[in-house]
Amino acid sequence: MKSSALAKAPKISFKQQMLAAREEAIVQTVNRLLAEKGFEAMTVDEVAQGVGIAKASLYKHFPSKEDLAAAAMVRVLHRTQAYLDSLPADGPPLDNLKAMVRWAMEVQMAGEMPSLPSQNSTLRANLMGNGAYLDALVGVSDQLGGWIQAAQKTGQINPQIPAIAVLYTLFARACDPVLGFLQASGQYSDAQVVEWVLGTCFEGLNAR
């Protein structure tokens, strides 16, 4: 029965494979440009040039600049969810939260984390109407929110701070400009920078 079901699985045509590969290349290029310069400064021409295709061909995959950026944001959320799923389900919640923040900062320092859109950005408006983005965002937020509330119950995170405020604070670390400033100085290793910013995020600036 199992082999029969596999035999009936539809095959992906070569054309479909090529289209999928091109879309992946487009999204990767958009992701890099969003990380380098942000949505407002990124242009569709730069994306097309980065992929090595004509702008007209680009629009066959994504009809607007906002759709391009939304696809990159969905991709990074799926990547985030995959990382969260790799963490031990029965692990200490605070350890999992720290692992997630460390991973997000490492992705940013590698130039692979797109910047979050500003409140009045056309991209933000597009994302609020994008079902795939909202579903992925809710999934990631719910998982992190559960860990935050569990850590608050044990007193590892201040229970007086609303969980949503803690969640947004952790999200912000993925786009923290301090990482780039310290990295650009050339005086410290990426690992040092990550550990310092991670420490200020969870332990604050008080001397221990």
Side-chain angles (χ1 to χ4, degrees), residues 173-203:
R173 298 290 71 74
C175 300
D176 195 329
V178 172
L179 297 167
F181 293 149
L182 292 175
Q183 185 181 43
S185 74
Q187 300 180 58
Y188 317 107
S189 69
D190 287 359
Q192 285 178 311
V193 173
V194 167
E195 290 306 316
W196 289 333
V197 177
L198 187 70
T200 61
C201 179
F202 285 93
E203 280 82 43

Short mmCIF file of all heavy atoms in Angstrom, two decimals, residues 173-203:
data_model
loop_
_atom_site.label_atom_id
_atom_site.label_comp_id
_atom_site.label_asym_id
_atom_site.label_seq_id
_atom_site.Cartn_x
_atom_site.Cartn_y
_atom_site.Cartn_z
N ARG A 173 16.26 41.78 19.20
CA ARG A 173 17.68 41.41 19.19
C ARG A 173 18.13 40.90 17.82
O ARG A 173 19.30 40.97 17.48
CB ARG A 173 17.95 40.34 20.26
CG ARG A 173 17.69 40.74 21.69
CD ARG A 173 18.69 41.77 22.23
NE ARG A 173 18.54 43.09 21.67
CZ ARG A 173 17.56 43.94 21.99
NH1 ARG A 173 16.64 43.60 22.87
NH2 ARG A 173 17.51 45.12 21.43
N ALA A 174 17.19 40.36 17.04
CA ALA A 174 17.55 39.86 15.71
C ALA A 174 17.93 40.99 14.76
O ALA A 174 18.54 40.76 13.72
CB ALA A 174 16.39 39.05 15.12
N CYS A 175 17.55 42.24 15.13
CA CYS A 175 17.88 43.40 14.29
C CYS A 175 18.63 44.46 15.09
O CYS A 175 18.62 45.64 14.73
CB CYS A 175 16.60 43.99 13.71
SG CYS A 175 15.64 42.86 12.69
N ASP A 176 19.26 44.05 16.17
CA ASP A 176 19.93 44.99 17.07
C ASP A 176 21.13 45.65 16.36
O ASP A 176 22.07 44.97 15.95
CB ASP A 176 20.43 44.24 18.31
CG ASP A 176 20.80 45.18 19.44
OD1 ASP A 176 21.25 46.30 19.15
OD2 ASP A 176 20.65 44.78 20.61
N PRO A 177 21.13 46.99 16.20
CA PRO A 177 22.24 47.66 15.51
C PRO A 177 23.56 47.59 16.28
O PRO A 177 24.63 47.78 15.69
CB PRO A 177 21.76 49.11 15.38
CG PRO A 177 20.76 49.28 16.48
CD PRO A 177 20.08 47.94 16.60
N VAL A 178 23.48 47.32 17.60
CA VAL A 178 24.71 47.23 18.39
C VAL A 178 25.63 46.15 17.82
O VAL A 178 26.86 46.30 17.81
CB VAL A 178 24.37 46.93 19.87
CG1 VAL A 178 25.65 46.64 20.67
CG2 VAL A 178 23.62 48.10 20.49
N LEU A 179 25.03 45.05 17.35
CA LEU A 179 25.84 43.96 16.78
C LEU A 179 26.69 44.46 15.63
O LEU A 179 27.89 44.19 15.55
CB LEU A 179 24.92 42.83 16.31
CG LEU A 179 24.08 42.12 17.38
CD1 LEU A 179 23.01 41.26 16.72
CD2 LEU A 179 24.96 41.27 18.27
N GLY A 180 26.05 45.20 14.71
CA GLY A 180 26.78 45.70 13.55
C GLY A 180 27.84 46.71 13.92
O GLY A 180 28.94 46.72 13.34
N PHE A 181 27.53 47.60 14.89
CA PHE A 181 28.50 48.61 15.31
C PHE A 181 29.76 47.96 15.88
O PHE A 181 30.89 48.33 15.54
CB PHE A 181 27.88 49.54 16.36
CG PHE A 181 26.78 50.41 15.83
CD1 PHE A 181 25.73 50.79 16.64
CD2 PHE A 181 26.78 50.84 14.51
CE1 PHE A 181 24.70 51.59 16.16
CE2 PHE A 181 25.76 51.64 14.02
CZ PHE A 181 24.71 52.01 14.84
N LEU A 182 29.56 46.98 16.77
CA LEU A 182 30.71 46.31 17.39
C LEU A 182 31.46 45.46 16.37
O LEU A 182 32.70 45.38 16.40
CB LEU A 182 30.24 45.46 18.57
CG LEU A 182 29.72 46.23 19.78
CD1 LEU A 182 29.18 45.28 20.83
CD2 LEU A 182 30.81 47.11 20.38
N GLN A 183 30.72 44.82 15.47
CA GLN A 183 31.36 44.00 14.45
C GLN A 183 32.20 44.86 13.52
O GLN A 183 33.33 44.49 13.15
CB GLN A 183 30.29 43.25 13.64
CG GLN A 183 30.85 42.26 12.62
CD GLN A 183 29.72 41.57 11.85
OE1 GLN A 183 28.76 42.21 11.42
NE2 GLN A 183 29.84 40.26 11.66
N ALA A 184 31.68 46.03 13.14
CA ALA A 184 32.38 46.92 12.22
C ALA A 184 33.65 47.51 12.83
O ALA A 184 34.57 47.89 12.11
CB ALA A 184 31.46 48.05 11.77
N SER A 185 33.71 47.57 14.16
CA SER A 185 34.90 48.13 14.81
C SER A 185 36.13 47.26 14.56
O SER A 185 37.26 47.75 14.61
CB SER A 185 34.67 48.28 16.31
OG SER A 185 34.71 47.00 16.96
N GLY A 186 35.90 45.98 14.31
CA GLY A 186 37.01 45.07 14.06
C GLY A 186 37.83 44.72 15.29
O GLY A 186 38.87 44.06 15.20
N GLN A 187 37.36 45.15 16.47
CA GLN A 187 38.14 44.92 17.68
C GLN A 187 37.75 43.64 18.41
O GLN A 187 38.47 43.18 19.29
CB GLN A 187 37.95 46.10 18.64
CG GLN A 187 38.39 47.44 18.08
CD GLN A 187 38.18 48.56 19.09
OE1 GLN A 187 38.70 48.52 20.20
NE2 GLN A 187 37.42 49.57 18.70
N TYR A 188 36.59 43.09 18.04
CA TYR A 188 36.08 41.94 18.78
C TYR A 188 35.63 40.84 17.81
O TYR A 188 35.27 41.11 16.66
CB TYR A 188 34.88 42.36 19.64
CG TYR A 188 35.08 43.67 20.37
CD1 TYR A 188 34.42 44.83 19.95
CD2 TYR A 188 35.96 43.76 21.44
CE1 TYR A 188 34.61 46.03 20.60
CE2 TYR A 188 36.17 44.98 22.10
CZ TYR A 188 35.49 46.11 21.67
OH TYR A 188 35.69 47.31 22.30
N SER A 189 35.65 39.62 18.30
CA SER A 189 35.16 38.52 17.48
C SER A 189 33.64 38.51 17.49
O SER A 189 33.01 39.07 18.40
CB SER A 189 35.68 37.18 18.03
OG SER A 189 35.07 36.87 19.27
N ASP A 190 33.05 37.87 16.49
CA ASP A 190 31.58 37.78 16.43
C ASP A 190 31.05 37.07 17.67
O ASP A 190 30.01 37.45 18.22
CB ASP A 190 31.14 37.02 15.18
CG ASP A 190 31.31 37.85 13.91
OD1 ASP A 190 31.77 39.01 14.00
OD2 ASP A 190 31.00 37.33 12.81
N ALA A 191 31.77 36.05 18.12
CA ALA A 191 31.32 35.29 19.30
C ALA A 191 31.30 36.18 20.54
O ALA A 191 30.38 36.10 21.35
CB ALA A 191 32.24 34.09 19.53
N GLN A 192 32.30 37.05 20.70
CA GLN A 192 32.33 37.96 21.84
C GLN A 192 31.15 38.92 21.79
O GLN A 192 30.47 39.13 22.79
CB GLN A 192 33.63 38.77 21.83
CG GLN A 192 34.87 38.02 22.27
CD GLN A 192 36.11 38.86 22.20
OE1 GLN A 192 36.37 39.51 21.17
NE2 GLN A 192 36.89 38.88 23.27
N VAL A 193 30.90 39.47 20.62
CA VAL A 193 29.81 40.44 20.46
C VAL A 193 28.47 39.79 20.82
O VAL A 193 27.65 40.36 21.54
CB VAL A 193 29.78 40.99 19.03
CG1 VAL A 193 28.53 41.85 18.82
CG2 VAL A 193 31.04 41.80 18.73
N VAL A 194 28.25 38.59 20.30
CA VAL A 194 26.99 37.89 20.56
C VAL A 194 26.81 37.65 22.05
O VAL A 194 25.73 37.89 22.62
CB VAL A 194 26.92 36.56 19.78
CG1 VAL A 194 25.78 35.68 20.29
CG2 VAL A 194 26.74 36.83 18.29
N GLU A 195 27.85 37.18 22.72
CA GLU A 195 27.74 36.88 24.14
C GLU A 195 27.50 38.14 24.97
O GLU A 195 26.73 38.12 25.93
CB GLU A 195 29.00 36.15 24.63
CG GLU A 195 29.14 34.74 24.10
CD GLU A 195 27.92 33.88 24.37
OE1 GLU A 195 27.38 33.91 25.50
OE2 GLU A 195 27.48 33.17 23.44
N TRP A 196 28.13 39.26 24.59
CA TRP A 196 27.92 40.50 25.33
C TRP A 196 26.48 41.00 25.19
O TRP A 196 25.85 41.37 26.16
CB TRP A 196 28.90 41.57 24.85
CG TRP A 196 30.31 41.31 25.25
CD1 TRP A 196 30.74 40.61 26.34
CD2 TRP A 196 31.49 41.75 24.56
NE1 TRP A 196 32.12 40.57 26.37
CE2 TRP A 196 32.61 41.26 25.29
CE3 TRP A 196 31.73 42.48 23.41
CZ2 TRP A 196 33.92 41.51 24.90
CZ3 TRP A 196 33.03 42.73 23.01
CH2 TRP A 196 34.11 42.25 23.76
N VAL A 197 25.98 41.02 23.96
CA VAL A 197 24.62 41.51 23.74
C VAL A 197 23.61 40.54 24.34
O VAL A 197 22.59 40.96 24.89
CB VAL A 197 24.36 41.73 22.23
CG1 VAL A 197 22.92 42.18 22.00
CG2 VAL A 197 25.33 42.76 21.67
N LEU A 198 23.90 39.25 24.28
CA LEU A 198 23.02 38.26 24.91
C LEU A 198 22.96 38.50 26.41
O LEU A 198 21.89 38.43 27.02
CB LEU A 198 23.54 36.85 24.62
CG LEU A 198 22.66 35.68 25.07
CD1 LEU A 198 21.41 35.61 24.21
CD2 LEU A 198 23.43 34.36 24.98
N GLY A 199 24.11 38.82 27.00
CA GLY A 199 24.16 39.07 28.44
C GLY A 199 23.36 40.30 28.83
O GLY A 199 22.62 40.28 29.82
N THR A 200 23.48 41.39 28.06
CA THR A 200 22.72 42.60 28.38
C THR A 200 21.23 42.36 28.20
O THR A 200 20.41 42.98 28.90
CB THR A 200 23.16 43.79 27.50
OG1 THR A 200 22.92 43.49 26.12
CG2 THR A 200 24.63 44.11 27.70
N CYS A 201 20.87 41.48 27.27
CA CYS A 201 19.45 41.17 27.02
C CYS A 201 18.82 40.44 28.20
O CYS A 201 17.70 40.76 28.62
CB CYS A 201 19.32 40.35 25.74
SG CYS A 201 17.62 39.87 25.34
N PHE A 202 19.52 39.47 28.74
CA PHE A 202 18.94 38.63 29.79
C PHE A 202 19.38 39.02 31.21
O PHE A 202 18.63 38.80 32.16
CB PHE A 202 19.29 37.16 29.53
CG PHE A 202 18.49 36.55 28.42
CD1 PHE A 202 18.98 36.54 27.12
CD2 PHE A 202 17.23 36.01 28.65
CE1 PHE A 202 18.24 35.98 26.08
CE2 PHE A 202 16.48 35.45 27.62
CZ PHE A 202 16.98 35.44 26.32
N GLU A 203 20.59 39.57 31.37
CA GLU A 203 21.06 39.89 32.71
C GLU A 203 21.13 41.40 32.96
O GLU A 203 21.36 41.82 34.09
CB GLU A 203 22.44 39.29 32.96
CG GLU A 203 22.43 37.81 33.32
CD GLU A 203 22.33 36.92 32.09
OE1 GLU A 203 23.03 37.21 31.09
OE2 GLU A 203 21.57 35.93 32.11
#
